[in-house]
Each structure stands twice: as C-alpha cells, then as structure tokens.
Amino acid sequence: MCFLALSAIVRAQSANSQWLLRSGNTYIIENQVMHPGVKADNDYARFLQGKCPAAYVQWEQGRKTAVAGWVLLGIGAGLDIGSYVWALCDLNYTTASRAMGIVGLGCELACIPTLIVGYTKMHNSADMYNALSYQQQSVAYWSVNAGPEGLGLAYHF
C-alpha cells in the first residue's frame, strides 16, 4: 500500500516536470530552444530571471567572467600585434616593445582559465535550475504501516 502511494506521488511530480536540458550552448525546455551567448539580454537570461533567481545569478556571474575572458584575449592580441608592428617600424626590438609583447602574452594566457570558469558557470546554471526546481518536495499522503504492535494508518506530511 505504501509503495502504491509513493508511486502515485512520483507520477504526479513527473507529470509536472519541465527539465531544462543543455546541448552545447543551446538550452531546451518544453520544446522551446534558447541560445544564450554572452549577451545580457536574451531568452535564456529572461527565462532564468523569471523562474529561478539563484540560477540566474550564477548564469550572470558566469557571463561576466566569460566577457572578462574575451576582453583579456582582445587586449592580449592587441598588445602582441602592437609589439610586432612597433618592432617592424622601429627595426630595433626595444625593451618597451618586448614588455608589450610579454604583457600581451600574459593576458592571452589569463583568458584561458577565465573563459573556462565563465562558461562552466553559465552551463551549470541549467543544473542549478533543475536541482532547485525539482528538489524533493514534501507531499502529504496516507499509508498503512505494519509493526510489532500491529497494523496502523499513518498520515505523512
């Protein structure tokens, strides 16, 4: 009897389930496809903001970190190109142009973990949404229990 009550609860919860699925940078819920990218205003961000603020905060932090990674890559590439142009025009590889190249390389190397952390946070927002939206909810139900004292009717809440 207890098993029947529990299976009815599981069926009722799964009938209302709307799992957020992720495939690469594409998020899918109820046949609605969302492509977030790093733009702050997109369908996925609005969806999370309205449905699960905690997952939205995680996505937003990841988005900001990813944007910082792309900025580091752009600055690094710009400094490297500037260093090479300076060296070609001057025909004398000065200390300043070397320093520019080293700082550029440092920015390019720093962008790698920054992008990884940013996109990981953004992708994990889907897992957070699923975990927070479908955590075990307390559902009241009746069951028949058998124990050393005999049979009993129990109300679980």
Side-chain angles (χ1 to χ4, degrees):
M1 184 73 157
C2 184
F3 174 74
L4 292 176
L6 188 57
S7 66
I9 292 168
V10 170
R11 270 188 268 122
Q13 284 181 341
S14 63
N16 296 330
S17 294
Q18 298 175 1
W19 288 98
L20 179 60
L21 305 173
R22 181 182 71 82
S23 175
N25 284 336
T26 303
Y27 297 85
I28 305 163
I29 188 165
E30 286 189 340
N31 298 326
Q32 179 185 2
V33 178
M34 298 173 276
H35 305 280
V38 291
K39 279 181 50 178
D41 182 34
N42 60 59
D43 292 338
Y44 183 63
R46 284 190 296 272
F47 170 79
L48 283 181
Q49 195 171 20
K51 299 281 187 178
C52 186
Y56 173 75
V57 167
Q58 180 172 353
W59 180 82
E60 184 64 23
Q61 288 173 347
R63 185 191 70 78
K64 288 178 182 177
T65 305
V67 167
W70 287 113
V71 168
L72 281 170
L73 180 62
I75 289 171
L79 288 173
D80 277 347
I81 291 170
S83 166
Y84 294 131
V85 169
W86 188 348
L88 288 174
C89 292
D90 194 7
L91 299 178
N92 184 7
Y93 205 55
T94 63
T95 305
S97 64
R98 285 185 191 141
M100 224 164 90
I102 291 171
V103 170
L105 178 63
C107 288
E108 290 166 350
L109 291 175
C111 86
I112 295 168
T114 307
L115 285 169
I116 290 170
V117 168
Y119 278 99
T120 300
K121 279 186 171 187
M122 288 171 65
H123 294 325
N124 286 341
S125 67
D127 297 333
M128 179 181 275
Y129 170 83
N130 289 331
L132 292 176
S133 295
Y134 300 104
Q135 46 181 279
Q136 190 65 290
Q137 297 174 357
S138 176
V139 177
Y141 63 95
W142 291 93
S143 68
V144 176
N145 292 336
E149 291 103 25
L151 290 175
L153 186 62
Y155 181 67
H156 301 272
F157 57 95

